Amino acid sequence: MDTILGLFGMALWIAGTIGIAAGITWVVVKLFPGDEDLERRIRAYIRWNAAVMVIKANKHAEGIGGHLSTFASSAALYDVGFNWFFRGKEDGLAGDALYIQGHAAPGTYARAYLEGRITEEQLDGFRQETDGTGLSSYPHPRLMPDFWEYPTVSMGLGPLNSIYHARFLRYLHNRKIDDTSGSRVWCFVGDGEVDEPETLGALSLPVREQLDNLVWVVNCNLQRLDGPVRGNGKIIQELEAIFRGAGWNVIKVIWGGKWDELLMKDRDGVLLNKMNTTVDGEFQRYAVESGAYIREHFFGPDPRLRKMVEHLSDDELRTLPRGGHDYRKLYSAYKAATEQTGAPTVILAKTIKGWTLGPDVEGRNATHQIKKMTVDQLRVLRERLYLQEVIPEDALADGKEPPYIRFQEGSIEHGYLMDRRKALDGSLPSRVVRTKRAIAMPEDKPFAEVLAGSGKQEVSTTMAFTRLLRNLCRDPKLGHRVVPIIPDEARTFGMDALFKEFKIYAAQGQVYEPVDAQLLLSYTEAKDGQILEEGITEAGSMASFIAAATSYAHRGVPMLPFFTFYSMFGFQRVGDFIWSANDSRARGFLLGATAGRTTLLGEGLQHQDGHSLILASAHPTVEAWDPAFAYEMATIIRHGIREMLVDERDVIHYLTLYNENYVMPPMPEGVESGIIQGLYRWAEAPDGPRHRATILFSGTAQGAARAGQAELADRWDVGADLWSATSYKRLREEALAAERWNRLHPTEPPRTPLVTQLLGAGEGGPVVAVTDFMKAVPDQVARWVRQPFVPLGTDGFGRSDTREKLRQFFEIDMPHVVVGTLWALAQQGEVKAETVAEAIAHYDIDPERTDPRQFDL
Ligand SMILES: Cc1ncc(C[n+]2csc(CCOP(=O)(O)OP(=O)(O)O)c2C)c(N)n1
Ligand SMILES: [Mg+2]
């Protein structure tokens, strides 16, 4: 080490080393091309404004929150990127993707303010959004669609998304859909955030795929919300081992330049040893203590160390900076990251949480939550940032609002700030939807085969979907842009049929001959493969989905992703990712295959899904569908494609797919709008019977409903209409809108919700709704049905058995449809209670059997 430092001593003085720890030294010498003093001054303004906007927000609206100390620790990490590395979107370029730590958002707004992209009024509206002019708390493209691109604040999602985003850029490039060579993905990660399994869960993928277009910057301020990240250990060492083990290029920026002088004197390695054996909890303590304390406790115990710093004053000791606050070292690290080839880079930057915010905030355990500052604390901040002449004393007087500060247009600082961004193709973050190569609607042909029904053949909606997906991939207009995504379940869904024809994407191609090479449907990988076969990671698949589903915006190249998964492992397993896909303004299809609590027989409690439609109902921009027939599924998908490509709606369509085979009828005339509105009459009640009833079905419950209709007519003198309920969520949302309108327009003639209109005022008799999902799914519309409403559904845990036994158990089979209908008629006085009892006995139903919802069975 001596030699290295000796040799490069002079150069180090110019540019600085990158990092020293664990006995390994990296020396990268780069001349800093900018004006460091000017940049520090610009950064001081950004720091000040970022703090003031949080303080003011909390003055104006008590409890509104916000974060001061995260950005304070990472200001230089962002600034070096904004001044020198992050590429913008001018001249039609796609630029770099920035995943910014969510709660560092004030810093991003503060820079945008200096650049003239955000007004003072907007800064004052931080976290006060409902009037439509405020700034969102965190990066939310749904709320600020011209500004933010990538939601990050749910810890762990941003890091995982960034990996798959970088990979998706390669996918687009290798498939010759878009030249993505000019774009890099930068992801800022908190050191506490690494504890989320999603953060580190996919580290090997960018190494396997050689994603040198990916750079992570981990802000190692040693603290999370409650306290130290690794008080008794060393987070940087831990992360270095993990990233290096995975094969990343690791750059550590630990000590600021002033330490270099000391390290050069460290001939025996005592200082290095002291650094390596001091745990993070102690370092945090040194961050808040006096120089005398540091001299005593860090350098003091070893006379050689004490001697090393005897020429430094206590104040100089106290202000020996961390690497993450050393601008030149950061510049060198970023530069090295951008020059790296063949592997992703992580920069581990050591910082102090709350840096420059003064002794009451810096490094304190409570720092994350601090959002107010007293006048005295503001004075300290002003001095730390050398802003005394900019902010006069009277501006800080008690009761006064601390001012925002800005450079005059024409000033050197303003010119420098703007020139830097101009040189890098414009300001960021910035979300623009600028379609470079649109795609047209597919032809009718892909749909025709599925809409025509299956003839005599019994097929499932999953099989029909796979057929449709294949047809869409073959479509001359849009086939190339279809992105089938599957997490190691292709064979379950019959999608292995697509492997050979469309090939599995593999960055290196296929370097082996597959074991099934001689088969027609062999496992075929290719560099330009279309299918993303992700392996067993629903989270990773969802991240791919988001990258593809937002490609229309971040690349200007619309893609059409279809992510098919075990329906149980979608909303339940990766619900937060789907939520962030809503926020990201994703456009794509989610397919919950092997759906239903009783249709997926044999798999039992963990697999049988009876509630994904309920979970989906909470997602604002997810349309949730439960089609019974292949033609419904195809109609919904065609409608969804039109919404995404023609209407440019940022919408996700979730469809259940089942694996039960039955004859798929051809699409009847005139039902298209009924399918899309969520409910349509599928079959009229037979003529003849005395009583009337209405049966709603969705998904595979069509079987019990149809059998029930026949049985009711044959044996119980009831003629029932059959309706297919393709989307209760849609019906409910329409009804809520009508109800709200009525509530707020009390003197106008009221609007009638669609579901009420369709089911009428009672002439169709009571309504029985049968589903392979929980009763809460049809219950979504119960309030707007005027006649008695009886939901039959599959509440409770799934269990292994045959379909017949399961449907009997969950009380959704034909006999229960009949009994439910008769009981509803009895409520209306149409039939006698004894008739219901007779039916119960006839079908051998045990009324005393325990309710399947109870788990003490
Ligand atoms: C999934 C999730 N869990 C919890 C939180 C709440 N939260 C916000 S910031 C934070 C601490 C972050 O610490 P770190 O990642 O070290 O970031 P720093 O502010 O120190 O840079 C927590 C727990 C969250 N946003 N997301
Ligand atoms: Mg932290």
Side-chain angles (χ1 to χ4, degrees):
M1 194 186 76
D2 277 347
T3 343
I4 302 171
L5 287 175
L7 270 176
F8 290 104
M10 192 60 191
L12 288 173
W13 178 74
I14 299 167
T17 55
I18 285 181
I20 298 173
I24 305 168
T25 306
W26 294 269
V27 184
V28 176
V29 181
K30 293 282 175 296
L31 285 176
F32 178 63
D35 183 327
E36 201 179 348
D37 288 337
L38 260 184
E39 292 190 27
R40 187 179 300 112
R41 189 157 170 80
I42 293 168
R43 194 155 63 256
Y45 274 54
I46 294 175
R47 284 178 176 284
W48 176 265
N49 289 332
V52 167
M53 68 186 286
V54 175
I55 296 162
K56 282 179 85 173
N58 282 285
K59 242 188 191 164
H60 298 162
E62 183 65 34
I64 208 92
H67 299 86
L68 295 168
S69 58
T70 298
F71 179 70
S73 67
S74 53
L77 305 184
Y78 289 103
D79 250 34
V80 75
F82 279 117
N83 285 332
W84 295 102
F85 297 98
F86 304 157
R87 282 164 296 192
K89 296 167 189 280
E90 267 169 15
D91 301 325
L93 297 170
D96 287 353
L98 299 188
Y99 288 76
I100 289 166
Q101 259 185 293
H103 48 294
T108 311
Y109 292 135
R111 166 171 274 269
Y113 170 67
L114 288 195
E115 291 172 355
R117 301 199 293 143
I118 279 182
T119 64
E120 196 158 325
E121 290 69 40
Q122 282 175 295
L123 289 186
D124 272 345
F126 178 54
R127 293 187 167 226
Q128 296 143 81
E129 298 180 85
T130 57
D131 289 339
T133 50
L135 299 177
S136 63
S137 48
Y138 303 116
H140 295 303
R142 193 52 75 172
L143 302 176
M144 293 178 63
D146 301 327
F147 193 83
W148 293 114
E149 287 192 281
Y150 309 107
T152 46
V153 80
S154 178
M155 311 256 119
L157 304 193
L160 192 88
N161 277 332
S162 74
I163 290 176
Y164 283 84
H165 185 147
R167 199 284 213 96
F168 191 72
L169 295 182
R170 286 286 159 81
Y171 170 91
L172 289 175
H173 197 87
N174 287 338
R175 292 194 57 219
K176 302 190 173 45
I177 292 173
D178 194 24
D179 179 353
T180 61
S181 56
S183 295
R184 199 169 264 117
V185 179
W186 299 85
C187 182
F188 289 84
V189 185
D191 51 356
E193 186 173 14
V194 300
D195 285 341
E196 288 288 1
E198 290 88 349
T199 307
L200 301 182
L203 286 194
S204 61
L205 181 129
V207 175
R208 286 196 305 275
E209 309 226 355
Q210 304 183 352
L211 300 182
D212 50 27
N213 57 346
L214 178 65
V215 181
W216 278 17
V217 181
V218 186
N219 175 17
C220 298
N221 57 24
L222 312 188
Q223 289 179 249
R224 45 182 164 73
L225 194 152
D226 285 341
V229 174
R230 297 286 184 272
N232 297 313
K234 292 172 81 67
I235 186 64
I236 296 179
Q237 310 291 69
E238 186 181 320
L239 290 177
E240 180 187 18
I242 293 169
F243 280 94
R244 210 174 277 288
W248 286 55
N249 170 39
V250 180
I251 299 173
K252 299 196 289 181
V253 191
I254 302 182
W255 303 111
K258 288 189 192 159
W259 285 88
D260 293 343
E261 182 198 327
L262 301 179
L263 283 162
M264 272 189 262
K265 291 191 201 162
D266 185 31
R267 299 198 178 276
D268 309 327
V270 273
L271 176 56
L272 193 61
N273 186 48
K274 182 69 183 169
M275 286 167 159
N276 285 340
T277 51
T278 302
V279 294
D280 286 356
E282 282 180 279
F283 272 123
Q284 187 190 345
R285 181 85 196 261
Y286 294 133
V288 304
E289 285 292 353
S290 65
Y293 182 94
I294 296 168
R295 189 186 306 280
E296 194 58 34
H297 291 85
F298 185 78
F299 295 100
D302 188 314
R304 290 168 296 180
L305 280 180
R306 188 181 274 271
K307 190 162 175 10
M308 210 181 268
V309 293
E310 65 189 0
H311 63 295
L312 295 176
S313 70
D314 282 356
D315 215 38
E316 282 169 323
L317 273 189
R318 192 181 55 76
T319 53
L320 276 174
R322 306 287 196 261
H325 303 304
D326 186 314
Y327 201 68
R328 289 188 173 224
K329 292 205 173 194
L330 288 174
Y331 175 83
S332 300
Y334 281 48
K335 183 98 175 109
T338 56
E339 287 163 359
Q340 171 71 20
T341 55
T345 293
V346 62
I347 295 168
L348 304 173
K350 184 162 174 154
T351 63
I352 289 176
K353 196 151 176 168
W355 179 242
T356 69
L357 294 177
D360 300 337
V361 183
E362 271 174 359
R364 303 284 162 190
N365 272 336
T367 186
H368 189 89
Q369 304 289 71
I370 295 174
K371 45 190 181 272
K372 292 180 185 168
M373 289 174 83
T374 61
V375 172
D376 283 342
Q377 288 169 328
L378 280 168
R379 276 197 195 103
V380 173
L381 176 63
R382 180 181 62 168
E383 264 139 57
R384 284 289 292 274
L385 300 177
Y386 302 102
L387 293 171
Q388 289 94 320
E389 338 86 79
V390 187
I391 304 157
E393 185 56 31
D394 65 347
L396 294 184
D398 261 332
K400 276 216 172 159
E401 301 257 300
Y404 297 118
I405 52 175
R406 197 174 212 171
F407 300 112
Q408 298 272 320
E409 265 188 54
S411 65
I412 294 171
E413 293 93 338
H414 186 263
Y416 189 94
L417 171 85
M418 302 307 278
D419 285 351
R420 285 313 317 144
R421 282 319 309 167
K422 189 130 197 64
L424 288 161
D425 302 316
S427 294
L428 284 177
S430 156
R431 185 178 179 279
V432 282
V433 180
R434 196 168 40 196
T435 310
K436 284 194 290 205
R437 282 184 293 285
I439 27 176
M441 279 299 287
E443 296 173 348
D444 287 340
K445 202 168 142 209
F447 300 95
E449 180 187 3
V450 183
L451 295 175
S454 61
K456 291 205 175 92
Q457 215 190 340
E458 297 198 330
V459 301
S460 64
T461 47
T462 307
M463 288 157 75
F465 167 72
T466 301
R467 188 70 61 92
L468 177 63
L469 185 60
R470 184 203 63 187
N471 294 352
L472 285 171
C473 287
R474 285 179 183 169
D475 183 83
K477 289 185 183 155
L478 113 174
H480 205 51
R481 305 284 186 90
V482 174
V483 186
I485 304 171
I486 331 156
D488 202 35
E489 288 291 352
R491 291 179 199 281
T492 315
F493 312 140
M495 286 186 185
D496 45 337
L498 308 181
F499 288 169
K500 179 89 182 187
E501 184 172 352
F502 303 106
K503 301 181 183 58
I504 294 162
Y505 174 73
Q508 304 90 331
Q510 191 161 37
V511 296
Y512 62 98
E513 187 178 28
V515 65
D516 53 6
Q518 78 292 359
L519 298 184
L520 203 60
L521 303 177
S522 64
Y523 195 86
T524 313
E525 300 183 86
K527 193 169 176 182
D528 61 352
Q530 186 162 0
I531 301 165
L532 288 174
E533 157 56 89
E534 299 291 16
I536 311 170
T537 168
E538 283 76 13
S541 304
M542 211 36 229
S544 272
F545 173 84
I546 292 172
T550 54
S551 170
Y552 75 90
H554 65 80
R555 302 303 310 177
V557 178
M559 302 294 286
L560 206 56
F562 289 86
F563 169 26
T564 314
F565 46 88
Y566 246 108
S567 74
M568 192 66 158
F569 305 134
F571 284 88
Q572 169 149 298
R573 174 95 188 203
V574 289
D576 204 16
F577 273 101
I578 302 179
W579 186 261
S580 84
N582 283 250
D583 188 355
S584 307
R585 311 187 81 99
R587 299 178 183 170
F589 291 90
L590 298 176
L591 291 307
T594 54
R597 192 92 82 203
T598 69
T599 308
L600 176 61
L601 67 168
E603 287 288 334
L605 181 151
Q606 185 64 68
H607 287 69
Q608 290 164 338
D609 166 38
H611 55 278
S612 64
L613 287 167
I614 287 297
L615 302 178
S617 74
H619 290 247
T621 55
V622 169
E623 297 276 9
W625 305 96
D626 195 11
F629 305 112
Y631 70 80
E632 292 180 350
M633 177 273 298
T635 302
I636 293 161
I637 287 179
R638 180 151 60 179
H639 160 77
I641 295 176
R642 190 175 301 115
E643 277 197 323
M644 294 170 204
L645 299 186
V646 181
D647 308 340
E648 306 211 13
R649 279 193 69 204
D650 307 335
V651 63
I652 296 167
H653 285 271
Y654 174 60
L655 285 84
T656 57
L657 297 176
Y658 296 86
N659 64 358
E660 184 174 349
N661 295 342
Y662 41 89
V663 167
M664 292 294 159
M667 173 134 140
E669 281 286 304
V671 297
E672 185 170 342
S673 63
I675 294 171
I676 300 308
Q677 71 193 11
L679 182 67
Y680 69 101
R681 196 197 314 258
W682 189 76
E684 302 265 348
D687 281 338
R690 206 148 42 103
H691 308 292
R692 281 292 303 274
T694 294
I695 300 173
L696 314 185
F697 64 77
S698 20
T700 50
Q702 59 85 28
R706 289 161 75 181
Q709 184 200 41
E711 179 81 353
L712 282 162
D714 288 352
R715 188 180 287 274
W716 305 99
D717 205 11
V718 180
D721 281 329
L722 290 186
W723 292 69
S724 178
T726 49
S727 178
Y728 285 108
K729 180 176 195 263
R730 209 173 164 98
L731 293 172
R732 177 169 188 271
E733 284 167 2
E734 194 277 342
L736 284 173
E739 191 175 75
R740 172 177 181 272
W741 194 91
N742 293 343
R743 190 170 74 242
L744 300 177
H745 301 84
T747 59
E748 313 232 4
R751 293 181 179 174
T752 309
L754 181 69
V755 62
T756 316
Q757 287 174 40
L758 291 173
L759 295 178
E763 55 282 4
V767 177
V768 174
V770 60
T771 168
D772 206 10
F773 277 77
M774 288 172 70
K775 297 178 188 71
V777 177
D779 262 341
Q780 289 180 88
V781 300
R783 204 145 56 80
W784 297 285
V785 177
R786 295 205 173 126
Q787 44 279 59
F789 187 84
V790 182
L792 301 176
T794 56
D795 299 42
F797 288 122
R799 62 206 67 210
S800 311
D801 216 316
T802 62
R803 270 183 199 134
E804 294 66 34
K805 293 283 292 277
L806 288 170
R807 286 172 182 173
Q808 194 180 31
F809 179 81
F810 282 103
E811 303 172 357
I812 58 163
D813 58 357
M814 180 279 282
H816 281 282
V817 171
V818 170
V819 169
T821 309
L822 292 174
W823 180 71
L825 284 164
Q827 303 306 299
Q828 293 186 307
E830 279 261 336
V831 303
K832 294 201 184 105
E834 287 73 20
T835 311
V836 189
E838 190 189 326
I840 291 171
H842 176 78
Y843 297 113
D844 217 9
I845 293 171
D846 174 8
E848 306 315 322
R849 210 207 58 194
T850 315
D851 186 329
R853 277 172 309 157
Q854 295 185 2
F855 47 81
D856 56 351
L857 276 177

